[in-house]
Amino acid sequence: PEWASVNMGIFFCLDCSGRHRGLGTHISFVRSVTMDAWTDKQIDKMKLGGNDQCKDFLSKHGIDVATNKDSSSSSIRDKYDSPAAQLYRDVLTAR
């Protein structure tokens, strides 16, 4: 994975980066791991997050975390624009 969502603390592929960008920066602030400049605060947030931690959190809050590259943008929106995902972003920010 060469792309990341800073406010979700997760990494993903190029295809998924486009889907995440379509959600808006308030939901998923997408950065290139190699091409973008990162602040210390953004790096710290990534260290606190992680794909497995995010999946576990969302799953425990009733969100389907199955990964499917062919999934529609609405299902991605359902996952990341949910009250559970907002709570996860808030938890990462508070750490």
Side-chain angles (χ1 to χ4, degrees):
E2 302 228 358
W3 295 87
S5 171
V6 177
N7 50 352
M8 292 299 296
I10 58 174
F11 294 94
F12 39 75
C13 68
L14 177 62
D15 289 340
C16 292
S17 72
R19 292 182 180 106
H20 277 260
R21 284 187 189 277
L23 297 173
T25 58
H26 65 292
I27 296 171
S28 187
F29 183 64
V30 177
R31 308 294 287 164
S32 166
V33 171
T34 56
M35 295 185 289
D36 288 321
W38 288 69
T39 66
D40 289 340
K41 187 174 182 179
Q42 290 171 333
I43 293 168
D44 289 343
K45 189 175 273 195
M46 294 302 297
K47 288 178 181 177
L48 292 171
N51 291 35
D52 289 339
Q53 182 174 315
C54 181
K55 285 180 188 177
D56 290 346
F57 186 94
L58 295 178
S59 180
K60 288 178 184 173
H61 287 83
I63 302 296
D64 179 9
V65 295
T67 302
N68 181 353
K69 284 189 174 187
D70 296 326
S71 64
S72 67
S73 59
S74 63
S75 65
I76 290 170
R77 183 166 296 280
D78 291 344
K79 185 187 298 185
Y80 294 108
D81 191 15
S82 65
Q86 181 60 54
L87 179 59
Y88 184 74
R89 289 189 291 272
D90 293 344
V91 166
L92 280 183
T93 300
R95 291 183 176 173

